[in-house]
Amino acid sequence: MKVVTSAMGMRYRINFRWNAELGALLSLLLLYGFNALWTPRFATLANTVNMLLQVSTTMLVAMGTTFVIASRGIDLTVGATMALVSVVSALLINRGLFVAWSGALGGALLIGFANGMLISRFKVQPLIATLGALMFWRGIAQVLGDGQLVPFVHSGFESLGKGYVGPLPVQIIIAAVVVFGSYFCIRSTLFGRYLVAIGSNEAAARLAGAPSEKVKYGVYLISALLAGLAGLMETARLGMGDPGKVGVNAEFDAIAAVVVGGTPFSGGRANVMGTVVGALLMQVISTSFNMLLIPFTWATLLKSLIILFAVYLQRPQKA
């Protein structure tokens, strides 16, 4: 906000408001255009599809994180959830696809329920609750997998990560369905309205009749379920369960996509399409650095600076 004095001596205020979604979209277009010009084979159809494939799991996790952050919470367990799902599904696949996927997603929902209970019922701070749960569930995944890879051969399972429907990869289709489902849920359902209200002012929303406890359970269950689905897709792509590497830094990438896309840490707003743009921006950075043979640590550094800048722009403005 800036105070301006006119030639007549009158003072008035001008509000400058950063549109996070528009800024992220502009950054994405500029970065993609720059790489199209300077990075060999970057703008090819094959590479574009490959980037969409790589970002599809991040997109699922980021959608769940959007729900959580909009409620003024945080979920650091998404990577551990992916690891647990990876190991459980690989261990159970010999008993059939339905049993493997049901058992794995059931485990994911258990994590979401536990997070919801700690945060909603026992009033534990979301950061502390999910940080402790992250270490606990990653440890459980390591114990179940005996700290080793769990290989399997199952064409039906592997089609989730490697299959196609016509010319489109299954992973991209699933990510698109989840994005539009999330958009509809937040924009057009009572749950979405309660979510935004609770994130804005939980006390006022509760007085207005919003079931804050149930909504908080809901957002952590959604986050866990989508992280579980991402874990299944990643396991299918790898053809093995990997408790040590599946889901590593997934929470970082998801939070980056959500915050850069315009959903504030202060809650009260859920920008689904902004999250999509944020996830794509992070993926373009990773792919371009990889193709230019720049060490990945520099890409991580740049992502961190982008997150800090996005959070800085979301700070409360002084009157």
Side-chain angles (χ1 to χ4, degrees):
M1 181 176 290
K2 184 178 181 180
V3 178
V4 180
T5 304
S6 69
M8 300 296 293
M10 299 179 65
R11 303 183 73 196
Y12 57 94
R13 291 174 175 176
I14 299 177
N15 284 317
F16 293 97
R17 184 182 180 88
W18 171 260
N19 188 314
E21 182 179 356
L22 182 60
L25 179 60
L26 180 60
S27 300
L28 173 63
L29 295 175
L30 288 174
L31 187 59
Y32 190 92
F34 175 83
N35 280 285
L37 293 174
W38 297 103
T39 305
R41 300 182 300 279
F42 182 86
T44 62
L45 178 60
N47 186 59
T48 301
V49 171
N50 183 56
M51 284 193 292
L52 291 175
L53 278 171
Q54 292 182 31
V55 81
S56 58
T57 52
T58 300
M59 200 77 75
L60 296 186
V61 178
M63 285 298 114
T65 303
T66 301
F67 281 86
V68 173
I69 291 180
S71 71
R72 200 178 290 187
I74 195 73
D75 187 358
L76 301 179
T77 63
V78 289
T81 301
M82 291 176 66
L84 182 68
V85 163
S86 180
V87 173
V88 171
S89 59
L91 289 174
L92 294 179
I93 192 60
N94 289 333
R95 301 186 180 184
L97 195 60
F98 178 79
V99 172
W101 287 3
S102 298
L105 293 179
L109 289 174
L110 175 62
I111 295 175
F113 181 80
N115 288 339
M117 177 176 291
L118 286 172
I119 293 163
S120 179
R121 181 63 60 86
F122 296 106
K123 310 302 179 184
V124 180
Q125 287 292 328
L127 179 64
I128 302 302
T130 58
L131 179 61
L134 178 158
M135 295 182 285
F136 177 80
W137 293 111
R138 177 72 71 172
I140 291 295
Q142 294 276 10
V143 169
L144 290 176
D146 198 23
Q148 300 178 3
L149 302 177
V150 186
F152 64 88
V153 177
H154 193 288
S155 59
F157 193 165
E158 292 179 40
S159 65
L160 185 65
K162 303 175 184 178
Y164 283 76
V165 176
L168 296 176
V170 170
Q171 286 183 291
I172 295 177
I173 294 174
I174 293 174
V177 171
V178 168
V179 167
F180 286 109
S182 300
Y183 184 86
F184 175 80
C185 179
I186 290 173
R187 293 282 183 172
S188 303
T189 67
L190 186 60
F191 176 84
R193 290 193 286 273
Y194 282 151
L195 168 65
V196 172
I198 290 168
S200 298
N201 189 323
E202 183 176 352
R206 190 184 297 112
L207 290 174
S212 61
E213 186 171 308
K214 291 181 179 179
V215 170
K216 286 186 177 181
Y217 270 105
V219 296
Y220 285 99
L221 286 170
I222 290 171
S223 178
L225 182 62
L226 293 180
L229 181 56
L232 286 178
M233 289 168 55
E234 186 70 10
T235 304
R237 185 184 66 82
L238 294 172
M240 65 181 69
D242 189 347
K245 293 185 178 180
V246 168
V248 171
N249 292 329
E251 54 279 344
F252 171 79
D253 291 334
I255 292 171
V258 173
V259 175
V260 170
T263 298
F265 269 123
S266 56
R269 184 155 56 94
N271 196 334
V272 172
M273 301 315 295
T275 297
V276 172
V277 174
L280 291 173
L281 176 61
M282 296 297 124
Q283 184 60 51
V284 168
I285 291 173
S286 297
T287 301
S288 60
F289 274 53
N290 183 53
M291 295 184 73
L292 291 170
L293 302 180
I294 301 174
F296 185 73
T297 50
W298 288 101
T300 303
L301 177 62
L302 178 57
K303 290 179 182 180
S304 301
L305 293 175
I306 290 173
I307 295 171
L308 290 173
F309 182 62
V311 172
Y312 171 77
L313 293 174
Q314 294 175 6
R315 75 195 188 283
Q317 298 293 329
K318 294 181 179 180

